Amino acid sequence: MNITYSRGTLLIDDVTGKVPEFIRYDDRVGAYRCPAYKYADIKSMYPDANDTVFQTRVLNLSHGEKLRSYQKQALDYWRGNGHRGVVVLPTAAGKTHIGIDAIATLSVPTIVVAPTIELIQQWKDVLSRVLGIEVGQIGGGEKDLRDVTVSTYDSAYLMAEDLGNRFQFLLVDEVHHLASERFIEIAKMYASPYRLGLTATYERVDMLHEKLQDAMGGKIFELGYEEISEFISNYEIVRIPVNLEPEEEEEYERNRSKFVSYLRRHRITMRGPWDFERFILSSWNPEGREALIAWREARKIAFNARVKIDTVRYVLSKHRGEKTIIFSEDTATAYLISKEFLIPCITYLTPGPERKRYLDMFRNGDVTALATSRVLDEGIDVPDASIGIVLSGSGSTRQFRQRLGRLLRPSQGKHSVLYEIVAKGTSEYGTSRRRRKGVPDTIDDGKEE
Amino acid sequence: MFPTQLMMVRKSKKGTVRSVFLTEENSDYCSSVIELFRSSIGKKREEIEDSIKTLELKTQNPKIVRGLALILFRISRLEPPSFLNPQEVRERIFSIARIPAVSPEERNEILEKVAENLNATASDVRRAMYSDKESEQILSSVPDISSEQLSKRFNSEQIETVMLKATSVRIVSANSRNRIVRIARRLGLLYLENEEGIEITGPLSISDHSERYGVNFALLVRYMMKLDDWKMDVSVSLKDRGKKAQYIYSLDHSVFDYLEPISDEIPNGFVECVNPVSVKGRQILPDYYSRIGEKEVSIFITRPRFYQEDSFLLKEIRGEGLPAEIFCIVRADEKCPSGAICFRDSIDWDRVREYMETKYSERKTVLEAEIPVIRSSLTPEMKGKIFDHLKKLYPDSVAMVDYIEFLGLDPLQILSEAGYRIKWSGLRIVVL
């Protein structure tokens, strides 16, 4: 019997006896076939088969990092689960260190998949430094394959057919994204027998996280903020309500009522993202277009209220010289802030090398503030960033926790403040309330690392 | 291809969908959008987008306006609004502005400093800061396109947009079966022929309704636009009330007359396969055949990522005692699959001919020793030739490994047999 890899699947020929359901005879090529992620099962079922799926090599990797007790515990659970599973820890709890130790322990070709270019560059830097190796990169304009390679989700998806048998260890950061309809194919098309997922927010409102059970080994370890408070920075959340200017308020009301009356006429109730999708789908007619444009206008007014810019000015002056990240929901606001205060701006439109340069400048203290839309919500690690300004955002608790997480990396004497600037009398107030649900305003037990 | 949200289809209760096409009756859409673009020369893309939104409000079907505008944006010329290099401008600004410029005075001071270095004014610098953003680009010219041409292009893109959601395609064709199979194979799709026609799917389709082959299906349709006498039923996965459902989308050759026909040059001495080879009740269609003496040799042309699957087909044909060969085309950044006979970029048909004559002809010729590049099993003489060539390439590790892989051989084995020591650097082999 021969087991070979072919474009995200395994081909098995000369099969004798009964085969399990997930292996099917493929008339198109005259051999048995199954999705590549079943490789570990196939191996245990047919240990004597001629297996050419991977070129097995040992890398002898090691690191000198010291793990915290809960990080060691998470790794024990992972090993106990056959080197598969998802570790859920709050942002700033040191998930990367868990990943590094897992890579060194296995010492096999590894691909680290992360959602943004910033994150893969960050993984690349830390892996190169800690493991003392050259790390490859796929995505962000690079295609450099090495024993340990980092990749964006998009590139890992697009190149799954070719890369699925190159890496025995699949490490997925912010693994909740993997559960989406598109990205779950990464998990399915890679034959990697060893899998580790890392996230702060495992559960998804659409329940797609259930797919991670089969694809990654399911959730095996979880701790909350309260359980690791001694390891993260103290913080407080300050909400600054601002008044729209009279003409802005008038314009806001006009647009808002146009939108709301459309919803009423079409009996659409906004209870979640599905309802909004329903609204968008129903809006491809002149009346719907008008309502959609009105919604966008109202949102723009609430997000970009002139007084908000002045409030940012106030916060920046108050914390002059402290490392500050300004978050907005849309790219237009991020560019507006960048032009107004002459600070670098990172959005999905910013080219890879430029993004890296700005982040390096921010880390090194060559600039002390960054404007960004949603691309820096997740995983960016700048330990001494202590001030966050949420100028606009969605009602997602996950997004809010992630943004807060940017400020929680511990450093000497650090006290972080996350400012939320919210336009009074607009739907932003409700949005702000929704996203803060379940997020404690402070963690302050007097302990610092 | 349009973004999915611009797809215009009518769904029926029977589970079928059909595209909504533009016809002469609704040519007003095209003329209004063309007119809007022609009158917007000199305006920023952002401003034109706003005008499009206004136009959408005045029309019955805003998706049509949006789709037509998208085509016109693609084919029109847009230019940056500033003579300064925006990246350089940003770099200079941020290298000076370590602390955010919170007051207008600080801001002006920085902008003027940068302007002075660039021989420009502060206002030039401000305007140039993000002049590379798409929304800032200025429309400079619109191509001469008629309403009819634009509407045909729109319809064509609508079809491709539906195909992006395709999970499988069944095609019936009396005269073009082989060509369709060949196109599908080139696109990395798999096929199964039976009396009802050709069923085309992707590898993962064995277990999933994957949409990842949608682009390949869209390209398949594009290639087929000039073929005549075909009909296809496409399974498409579309959202219906928040959930995915499978629909049947039917097309036939009468829909298309938009694109150029594909050109398929067949080399001398090789014939496009018309009849499939019947193996254990299955119909397998090689790409070509060539007559060598009394023998008719089936030929498959493949790519590295499809090699494994095509090898199974080859094995089945050979299992019936029929001669068959497979050749693989590799691009610059691709490796030759182990055991394969590979050619860089395109098939060298003369070499293929030589190879087959050597292998299948009754009379053996000296050619056998002259064509090491396409042999996969090695005689001592061939090894000697390869080792000699490796000596010439040493110490260029990349060239040595490339050469061995080009021959379809295992670099580790050959380098070791040739007496070289190697080490791994990442996934690369370094010859010491």
Side-chain angles (χ1 to χ4, degrees):
Chain A
M1 179 189 288
N2 297 299
I3 307 172
T4 50
Y5 175 85
S6 177
R7 299 196 276 161
T9 65
L10 300 177
L11 288 172
I12 311 153
D13 67 351
D14 299 332
V15 179
T16 50
K18 204 179 166 199
V19 295
E21 251 181 44
F22 64 82
I23 305 177
R24 303 207 180 144
Y25 186 73
D26 190 344
D27 270 334
R28 303 168 301 179
V29 295
Y32 282 87
R33 193 193 288 268
C34 72
Y37 80 108
K38 292 290 185 185
Y39 174 71
D41 297 332
I42 300 272
K43 275 294 279 181
S44 63
M45 267 188 287
Y46 307 113
D48 299 327
N50 175 32
D51 171 5
T52 57
V53 175
F54 287 104
Q55 286 187 342
T56 311
R57 279 186 311 114
V58 178
L59 305 179
N60 293 321
L61 300 172
S62 62
H63 68 87
E65 298 285 293
K66 201 174 162 215
L67 294 181
R68 296 169 185 162
S69 56
Y70 63 87
Q71 291 168 328
K72 285 182 191 159
Q73 202 183 356
L75 284 158
D76 286 342
Y77 276 74
W78 176 67
R79 272 188 288 271
N81 197 43
H83 297 104
R84 290 166 70 87
V86 175
V87 171
V88 185
L89 284 173
T91 313
K95 290 187 284 293
T96 308
H97 289 89
I98 293 176
I100 292 168
D101 194 70
I103 294 171
T105 304
L106 289 171
S107 276
V108 293
T110 299
I111 184 162
V112 179
V113 184
T116 61
I117 295 164
E118 287 72 30
L119 271 175
I120 63 164
Q121 283 169 342
Q122 192 169 284
W123 269 101
K124 189 178 175 181
D125 290 346
V126 74
L127 289 172
S128 309
R129 182 167 43 81
V130 175
L131 298 175
I133 53 168
E134 283 190 70
V135 176
Q137 180 180 327
I138 310 165
E142 300 274 332
K143 192 184 163 193
D144 176 25
L145 275 176
R146 288 174 188 272
D147 280 336
V148 178
T149 295
V150 296
S151 169
T152 56
Y153 273 76
D154 278 324
S155 297
Y157 170 83
L158 291 171
M159 296 184 67
E161 294 193 351
D162 298 322
L163 298 184
N165 66 334
R166 298 291 286 267
F167 303 99
Q168 282 157 285
F169 183 23
L170 173 66
L171 197 165
V172 186
D173 196 9
E174 307 294 348
V175 74
H176 49 277
H177 294 297
L178 190 77
S180 74
E181 198 181 338
R182 176 177 155 92
F183 291 142
I184 197 70
E185 284 189 3
I186 299 174
K188 289 187 174 177
M189 295 177 75
Y190 282 68
S192 321
Y194 311 118
R195 291 162 184 244
L196 172 64
L198 301 170
T199 180
T201 48
Y202 184 73
E203 276 80 20
R204 296 168 54 115
V205 281
D206 55 15
M207 300 304 285
L208 287 178
H209 57 270
E210 288 175 359
K211 289 184 180 178
L212 297 177
Q213 184 67 41
D214 185 35
M216 292 297 290
K219 181 162 71 180
I220 50 159
F221 185 83
E222 182 172 22
L223 288 180
Y225 272 127
E226 296 74 12
E227 289 147 301
I228 58 150
S229 58
E230 63 183 294
F231 296 106
I232 60 176
S233 160
N234 299 323
Y235 71 88
E236 62 180 309
I237 299 170
V238 178
R239 178 148 74 165
I240 307 178
V242 294
N243 287 312
L244 296 180
E245 287 182 10
E247 62 270 33
E248 283 177 331
E249 201 172 341
E250 199 179 306
E251 191 62 13
Y252 177 85
E253 279 309 325
R254 198 175 60 78
N255 284 293
R256 180 83 189 157
S257 61
K258 212 181 270 182
F259 167 65
V260 171
S261 59
Y262 175 85
L263 294 186
R264 282 198 190 121
R265 274 198 305 282
H266 292 266
R267 296 171 192 277
I268 300 172
T269 316
M270 291 291 182
R271 281 163 306 204
W274 307 279
D275 295 314
F276 192 75
E277 200 179 325
R278 221 179 108 213
F279 160 64
I280 295 283
L281 285 173
S282 79
S283 70
W284 286 104
N285 56 64
E287 192 196 2
R289 284 282 95 180
E290 199 179 357
L292 182 65
I293 290 169
W295 173 78
R296 282 193 187 134
E297 272 307 307
R299 193 165 168 260
K300 200 165 138 191
I301 293 164
F303 283 179
N304 297 332
R306 283 186 281 277
V307 65
K308 276 191 170 183
I309 306 294
D310 288 334
T311 312
V312 172
R313 197 184 309 282
Y314 161 75
V315 176
L316 286 173
S317 307
K318 186 178 171 192
H319 296 281
R320 200 172 170 84
E322 290 182 56
K323 284 195 181 166
T324 305
I325 306 175
I326 303 165
F327 298 99
S328 64
E329 184 64 4
D330 58 328
T331 55
T333 308
Y335 285 112
L336 183 76
I337 292 292
S338 170
K339 280 179 166 177
E340 183 65 29
F341 300 107
L342 302 182
I343 60 175
C345 171
I346 297 180
T347 72
Y348 73 97
L349 297 168
T350 314
E354 211 173 330
R355 289 179 182 206
K356 187 174 183 329
R357 199 158 54 245
Y358 293 162
L359 276 171
D360 287 344
M361 288 171 81
F362 188 56
R363 281 199 185 97
N364 300 337
D366 298 332
V367 294
T368 55
L370 272 183
T372 180
S373 51
R374 284 173 294 184
V375 291
L376 292 193
D377 282 358
E378 288 179 336
I380 287 306
D381 177 7
V382 183
D384 52 350
S386 56
I387 307 299
I389 304 173
V390 176
L391 201 51
S392 53
S394 70
S396 154
T397 305
R398 176 192 293 162
Q399 183 190 54
F400 190 68
R401 281 173 183 263
Q402 294 280 15
R403 286 178 167 182
L404 175 62
R406 299 308 112 234
L407 313 176
L408 299 184
R409 307 274 167 194
S411 81
Q412 193 63 41
K414 178 173 156 184
H415 178 81
S416 305
V417 188
L418 181 68
Y419 291 93
E420 259 193 299
I421 304 176
V422 185
K424 259 194 207 172
T426 71
S427 59
E428 243 201 328
Y429 236 72
T431 308
S432 157
R433 202 172 42 243
R434 280 206 310 281
R435 67 185 169 224
R436 291 171 60 163
K437 211 171 163 183
V439 181
D441 270 2
T442 56
I443 286 182
D444 189 354
D445 59 2
K447 292 177 192 168
E448 282 174 17
E449 198 181 45
Chain B
M1 296 160 214
F2 286 139
T4 317
Q5 65 265 31
L6 294 184
M7 183 197 299
M8 287 184 3
V9 287
R10 297 243 191 282
K11 294 175 185 167
S12 82
K13 284 182 183 165
K14 290 177 186 167
T16 61
V17 281
R18 62 185 178 83
S19 289
V20 178
F21 291 130
L22 287 185
T23 60
E24 276 180 29
E25 281 174 27
N26 40 30
S27 64
D28 284 357
Y29 280 101
C30 296
S31 47
S32 328
V33 177
I34 293 172
E35 182 47 41
L36 187 150
F37 269 76
R38 289 195 177 137
S39 61
S40 298
I41 289 177
K43 287 186 185 168
K44 274 204 248 180
R45 180 169 179 141
E46 198 172 25
E47 294 169 301
I48 304 169
E49 298 267 15
D50 285 343
S51 309
I52 292 163
K53 281 179 198 161
T54 312
L55 185 61
E56 281 176 18
L57 292 178
K58 294 178 193 161
T59 55
Q60 264 313 305
N61 196 333
K63 272 189 191 181
I64 299 177
V65 174
R66 184 56 61 96
L68 293 171
L70 196 58
I71 296 172
L72 279 170
F73 270 128
R74 281 185 199 150
I75 59 177
S76 297
R77 194 183 166 91
L78 290 114
E79 286 172 356
S82 169
F83 63 95
L84 295 172
N85 176 342
Q87 273 205 26
E88 191 190 347
V89 167
R90 289 196 289 269
E91 216 156 274
R92 284 176 187 255
I93 289 175
F94 303 142
S95 66
I96 300 174
R98 185 181 164 269
I99 307 276
V102 288
S103 71
E105 294 76 25
E106 284 174 80
R107 192 164 170 271
N108 286 342
E109 193 184 324
I110 292 167
L111 290 175
E112 270 161 24
K113 210 179 268 181
V114 172
E116 201 181 307
N117 288 334
L118 292 170
N119 283 332
T121 65
S123 131
D124 290 335
V125 170
R126 203 167 31 237
R127 207 170 31 247
M129 199 170 163
Y130 287 109
S131 64
D132 47 353
K133 265 176 68 191
E134 195 178 68
S135 57
E136 298 284 314
Q137 306 303 297
I138 307 281
L139 180 68
S140 61
S141 69
V142 182
D144 194 16
I145 187 167
S146 69
S147 292
E148 193 193 1
Q149 285 169 318
L150 185 59
S151 68
K152 281 183 174 178
R153 190 148 180 180
F154 177 89
N155 295 343
S156 193
E157 300 235 10
Q158 277 296 340
I159 292 166
E160 289 178 10
T161 308
V162 179
M163 294 305 290
L164 285 177
K165 294 286 166 189
T167 54
S168 71
V169 177
R170 179 176 290 282
I171 304 176
V172 178
S173 172
N175 303 323
S176 306
R177 282 171 81 104
N178 304 335
R179 183 163 283 196
I180 292 165
V181 164
R182 200 166 2 267
I183 294 165
R185 277 165 42 79
R186 276 183 205 163
L187 290 168
L189 298 165
L190 296 170
Y191 70 97
L192 195 58
E193 275 198 281
N194 53 36
E195 286 162 6
E196 292 164 33
I198 314 159
E199 170 132 23
I200 301 175
T201 43
L204 278 188
S205 312
I206 195 87
S207 53
D208 277 316
H209 281 304
S210 175
E211 289 174 25
R212 71 180 293 123
Y213 309 111
V215 174
N216 307 52
F217 287 127
L219 292 172
L220 175 75
V221 171
R222 193 181 284 181
Y223 277 118
M224 287 175 62
M225 296 230 176
K226 282 286 181 179
L227 302 184
D228 55 11
D229 181 33
W230 59 267
K231 182 177 170 304
M232 65 161 70
D233 289 327
V234 184
S235 283
V236 288
S237 176
L238 299 177
K239 266 196 177 171
D240 189 19
R241 290 179 199 145
K243 287 187 177 170
K244 282 278 168 102
Q246 290 287 318
Y247 288 89
I248 296 296
Y249 178 64
S250 299
L251 291 171
D252 64 53
H253 66 270
S254 65
V255 183
F256 312 110
D257 61 341
Y258 304 107
L259 297 179
E260 292 300 311
I262 51 165
S263 66
D264 228 10
E265 282 177 26
I266 301 168
N268 273 339
F270 296 88
V271 182
E272 193 176 333
C273 270
V274 179
N275 300 315
V277 180
S278 186
V279 180
K280 293 174 193 160
R282 289 180 60 225
Q283 304 293 307
I284 300 173
L285 187 72
D287 291 298
Y288 304 99
Y289 73 85
S290 183
R291 191 167 286 282
I292 310 285
E294 294 301 306
K295 292 183 183 124
E296 201 170 88
V297 184
S298 299
I299 299 166
F300 289 88
I301 305 299
T302 192
R303 300 291 315 280
R305 57 161 56 171
F306 319 137
Y307 177 75
Q308 201 60 55
E309 283 151 356
D310 287 340
S311 297
F312 281 113
L313 301 179
L314 188 81
K315 197 172 153 190
E316 294 215 0
I317 294 179
R318 284 180 175 169
E320 295 290 298
L322 302 169
E325 291 300 327
I326 184 165
F327 301 99
C328 185
I329 300 175
V330 290
R331 303 283 178 230
D333 58 345
E334 289 175 333
K335 287 184 176 177
C336 182
S338 179
I341 298 172
C342 294
F343 290 91
R344 284 266 180 249
D345 298 325
S346 62
I347 297 288
D348 181 341
W349 291 101
D350 292 337
R351 305 303 293 273
V352 169
R353 183 90 200 155
E354 286 170 8
Y355 170 74
M356 295 210 305
E357 279 180 352
T358 310
K359 185 167 178 179
Y360 293 103
S361 170
E362 293 302 316
R363 57 184 176 87
K364 295 277 177 193
T365 69
V366 287
L367 282 168
E368 189 169 5
E370 290 174 1
I371 49 170
V373 291
I374 54 170
R375 295 291 295 188
S376 56
S377 57
L378 296 175
T379 60
E381 294 78 29
M382 303 263 297
K383 270 189 188 168
K385 248 179 119 102
I386 292 170
F387 293 170
D388 283 348
H389 192 63
L390 285 174
K391 264 187 207 161
K392 286 178 199 159
L393 295 175
Y394 183 80
D396 186 345
S397 301
V398 176
M400 291 169 84
V401 172
D402 266 359
Y403 170 65
I404 300 169
E405 287 183 337
F406 180 72
L407 304 182
L409 302 169
D410 178 0
L412 284 181
Q413 189 193 331
I414 297 293
L415 287 168
S416 147
E417 283 182 30
Y420 293 99
R421 282 191 310 118
I422 64 120
K423 73 165 189 177
W424 287 91
S425 170
L427 294 174
R428 293 180 198 135
I429 294 171
V430 178
V431 183
L432 300 172

